Amino acid sequence: MELLQSMPKFKDLPPKSASLLASVMEEYNITKGTKIVKEGDPSQYAYFIASGEAEAFKNYGKSEETKLKIMRKGDIFGLSSMLDHSSHSSTVVALSNPSTKTYRISIELFNKVINEDPGISVTICKHLSHEYKDFMKKTSHDTAHSVKAAPIVPIVAITEVQTLKRDNNNVVTMAVFDHKPYERAYFDREIKKFNEINAIKLECKFHEYKLNKDSANLAKGAKIVCMFVNDDGGTEVLKQLHEYGVKMIAMRCAGFNNCDLKTCQDLGISVARVPAYSPYAVAEHCVALLLALNRKIHLAYNRVKTGNFSLNNLVGFDIHGKTVGVIGTGKIGYCFIQIMLGFGCNVIGYDMYKNKELESTENFKYVEDLNELLTESHIISIHCPLMADNKYMINSETLKKVPKGAILINTSRGALIKTSDLIESLKEGHLGGAGLDVYEDETSYFFEDKSAEVIGDDVLARLLSFQNVVITSHQAFLTEEALTAISKVTVSNVQEFIVQNKSMKELNNSVNL
């Protein structure tokens, strides 16, 4: 509050408005020499300097590094790129010892306060207008005097100028939700290829926030929304997107259980997915979970790190010769089956749609009844999509049918297993272990850093307490090959929609009722 009142451009902001804005700002102290924002990274926050100094650079740490501006108390950076949903146009580094003190605000909270109090947005517009005018004056002065050195410009003005230069007549915008930094390079590469060969240009606005009813307004101005596994594609959100003019949902994953296809059909929104990015990536991760559980790698690793070289309670079993049950024999299931056959296992498959090649494969057989697979299998791995009719297919009744000591692996969707029943089977000592890359209520936790917080989900906390449970946070897909394929197929789906004018069932990778 005191900081805002001391800033000349916010002096006319009413106390009530200043108090509202201050209430959603968090203190953020940065030690000297630390990057506050990095050039090219997606913008997540706007920063208000409260004390100390920070410096903006282009090409920081490179031979062509250029210093742009030293910022002090009252200066703001990151605001324009946050509002424009674009990447940071420069790197900002803290200069003060021991730290530079800032207050920051996320775009999600910023959107909430400006919706509650339009007076705040008017003040912000005035601020950006002043910055832009200062920038234009400086640019004109430098041009007139043929100054070769890089102009000293306000950091918030740089993105504004880039925005003004954009030709919107031939640009289609795609809003990418739940975006993570490890995806960016792969998407940037495919978007660059797309824009080099097409007259219509694709512009992506990357958002770290998951899509839900509160964040859906970030899709305003976008024709396409790109969703991931934990985004909310329910009826309420889809109706919001439709009001904003969204015509396509591009799922950058194989599953689509979080997108209401009936609502999409009713609203005329096309849906496409990435049916097979790298089945090997997921299948190999299943094997990693299996081996870690069986040979207790996670326990042995932690012991040795503390100087405990005992082998007590680390006994596993030979996978060779065991019966492995595979629920779902599509692309990923097929790859997993081939690996298990390579281990010398007998494999049982259960699927409504049988693979003819597998039917003639030695040491493999299909069964017509899921119960038969469960009763015969020492190892069970799930590789099917989540549908309305198979939710909680693994429950207290089906778990009773598996042999004592069996291992269960799930890299598909969390709600295929009723977690409370899984916990009971583990507590009773009936199920030998579980390797999980998915969890039915993972949305609030997976893909996020919660290490500084107490886990409020009692079910997840209980799962983590078992020594015979290995959990990874939906990372089975995470290989270079898979990320390359995901970005390539997603952009290809978009190309069919905006360049070839295909829609709904005409799309090669369409998802329909």
Side-chain angles (χ1 to χ4, degrees):
M1 180 75 171
E2 182 181 343
L3 173 64
L4 292 174
Q5 291 175 335
S6 69
M7 298 173 68
K9 296 182 178 67
F10 285 83
K11 64 181 180 181
D12 296 328
L13 192 63
K16 184 179 179 181
S17 300
S19 178
L20 176 62
L21 183 58
S23 69
V24 295
M25 298 171 71
E26 62 174 342
E27 185 175 330
Y28 186 64
N29 298 321
I30 311 98
T31 56
K32 183 178 180 180
T34 302
K35 295 177 187 176
I36 307 174
V37 301
K38 183 181 178 183
E39 183 177 351
D41 280 357
S43 180
Q44 301 175 5
Y45 297 92
Y47 297 83
F48 297 67
I49 297 181
S51 64
E53 297 180 341
E55 188 163 13
F57 297 84
K58 291 290 287 183
N59 303 309
Y60 181 70
K62 300 179 182 178
S63 57
E64 63 271 31
E65 176 185 296
T66 302
K67 295 181 179 181
L68 297 178
K69 181 185 180 184
I70 292 179
M71 295 173 287
R72 299 178 176 86
K73 180 179 179 180
D75 283 330
I76 308 171
F77 61 92
L79 178 60
S80 180
S81 52
M82 183 182 76
L83 293 174
D84 190 47
H85 313 307
S86 58
S87 302
H88 289 293
S89 53
S90 59
T91 296
V92 178
V93 179
L95 293 183
S96 298
N97 193 16
S99 65
T100 298
K101 180 179 179 181
T102 72
Y103 286 91
R104 67 180 187 179
I105 181 173
S106 69
I107 189 169
E108 189 173 19
L109 293 175
F110 184 78
N111 284 334
K112 287 183 179 179
V113 297
I114 62 175
N115 285 331
E116 291 179 30
D117 190 340
I120 295 175
S121 60
V122 172
T123 301
I124 295 295
C125 287
K126 288 181 180 179
H127 166 75
L128 293 175
S129 175
H130 285 306
E131 294 284 6
Y132 178 63
K133 287 177 181 178
D134 291 343
F135 168 69
M136 293 304 293
K137 287 178 183 178
K138 179 64 182 173
T139 305
S140 300
H141 178 270
D142 288 346
T143 303
H145 292 81
S146 301
V147 177
K148 294 182 180 180
I152 302 175
V153 299
I155 190 69
V156 294
I158 297 171
T159 305
E160 288 301 303
V161 175
Q162 293 173 343
T163 304
L164 290 171
K165 290 180 179 178
R166 197 179 290 144
D167 178 8
N168 287 320
N169 294 330
N170 256 354
V171 174
V172 172
T173 299
M174 177 167 71
V176 182
F177 284 87
D178 201 11
H179 163 73
K180 302 300 179 199
Y182 50 75
E183 301 177 274
R184 187 59 180 270
Y186 299 92
F187 267 89
D188 283 348
R189 183 167 60 217
E190 294 306 318
I191 294 164
K192 182 180 179 182
K193 290 179 185 176
F194 177 98
N195 289 336
E196 286 174 348
I197 62 174
N198 292 295
I200 297 176
K201 305 305 178 186
L202 178 63
E203 175 191 67
C204 283
K205 294 184 176 180
F206 296 93
H207 306 294
E208 65 166 332
Y209 310 103
K210 291 179 176 65
L211 176 63
N212 54 45
K213 59 184 178 62
D214 294 322
S215 63
N217 62 345
L218 296 174
K220 287 181 180 178
K223 188 174 183 179
I224 303 164
V225 162
C226 186
M227 287 174 47
F228 198 45
V229 295
N230 288 324
D231 287 317
D232 179 0
T235 299
E236 183 179 355
V237 173
L238 289 170
K239 286 181 177 179
Q240 284 181 266
L241 297 180
H242 181 255
E243 289 177 8
Y244 300 149
V246 172
K247 301 296 184 184
M248 180 189 187
I249 300 293
M251 302 294 300
R252 61 184 192 280
C253 53
F256 49 88
N257 56 286
N258 55 327
C259 184
D260 189 322
L261 299 181
K262 176 64 166 61
T263 301
C264 285
Q265 180 177 282
D266 293 344
L267 297 175
I269 297 176
S270 299
V271 183
R273 64 174 181 140
V274 182
Y277 30 90
S278 175
Y280 304 103
V282 181
E284 290 167 7
H285 193 78
C286 291
V287 178
L289 290 172
L290 170 60
L291 291 174
L293 274 170
N294 176 36
R295 301 308 298 269
K296 302 173 176 57
I297 301 298
H298 56 304
L299 302 179
Y301 173 80
N302 287 328
R303 278 191 191 182
V304 171
K305 291 283 283 187
T306 60
N308 182 353
F309 299 95
S310 166
L311 299 183
N312 293 331
N313 300 315
L314 296 180
V315 178
F317 59 80
D318 286 358
I319 292 176
H320 177 85
K322 296 298 185 293
T323 297
V324 178
V326 181
I327 304 173
T329 60
K331 291 182 173 64
I332 296 171
Y334 175 84
C335 289
F336 181 73
I337 289 166
Q338 296 301 322
I339 297 172
M340 289 295 97
L341 290 172
F343 270 82
C345 298
N346 298 304
V347 184
I348 301 173
Y350 175 76
D351 200 313
M352 293 176 61
Y353 305 96
K354 295 178 173 60
N355 182 315
K356 291 183 179 179
E357 181 183 340
L358 285 174
E359 287 183 304
S360 59
T361 298
E362 188 177 357
N363 296 324
F364 174 86
K365 70 173 183 178
Y366 274 112
V367 293
E368 300 299 327
D369 185 4
L370 177 60
N371 289 331
E372 183 180 349
L373 179 148
L374 295 173
T375 56
E376 293 185 21
S377 302
H378 301 94
I379 298 161
I380 300 164
S381 191
I382 305 175
H383 299 282
C384 57
L386 174 63
M387 311 294 283
D389 58 355
N390 68 358
K391 183 177 181 180
Y392 295 154
M393 67 187 301
I394 302 299
N395 53 56
S396 59
E397 293 303 312
T398 53
L399 284 167
K400 289 176 183 176
K401 301 179 188 300
V402 306
K404 183 178 174 62
I407 287 179
L408 177 64
I409 307 292
N410 186 15
T411 58
S412 295
R413 286 294 183 266
L416 292 167
I417 299 175
K418 189 170 184 180
T419 312
S420 57
D421 291 351
L422 173 67
I423 289 172
E424 287 304 312
S425 184
L426 290 164
K427 284 169 59 179
E428 293 167 2
H430 183 71
L431 190 66
L436 308 174
D437 189 54
V438 289
Y439 166 61
E440 61 176 307
D441 292 316
E442 69 182 54
T443 304
S444 298
Y445 291 92
F446 283 22
F447 303 108
E448 308 299 334
D449 182 0
K450 301 291 185 178
S451 57
E453 302 176 20
V454 173
I455 294 178
D457 184 330
D458 292 342
V459 176
L460 178 59
R462 185 66 179 96
L463 272 180
L464 291 169
S465 72
F466 287 104
Q467 291 195 351
N468 56 343
V469 173
V470 174
I471 300 177
T472 51
S473 58
H474 216 130
Q475 74 174 76
F477 76 99
L478 198 63
T479 66
E480 291 184 1
E481 293 80 1
L483 290 170
T484 298
I486 288 169
S487 59
K488 185 171 292 187
V489 176
T490 300
V491 174
S492 176
N493 291 340
V494 170
Q495 181 173 19
E496 287 185 16
F497 182 74
I498 64 176
V499 177
Q500 300 175 29
N501 293 317
K502 293 183 178 182
S503 62
M504 309 300 280
K505 294 182 179 181
E506 297 173 338
L507 296 164
N508 287 329
N509 295 315
S510 66
V511 184
N512 305 282
L513 289 173

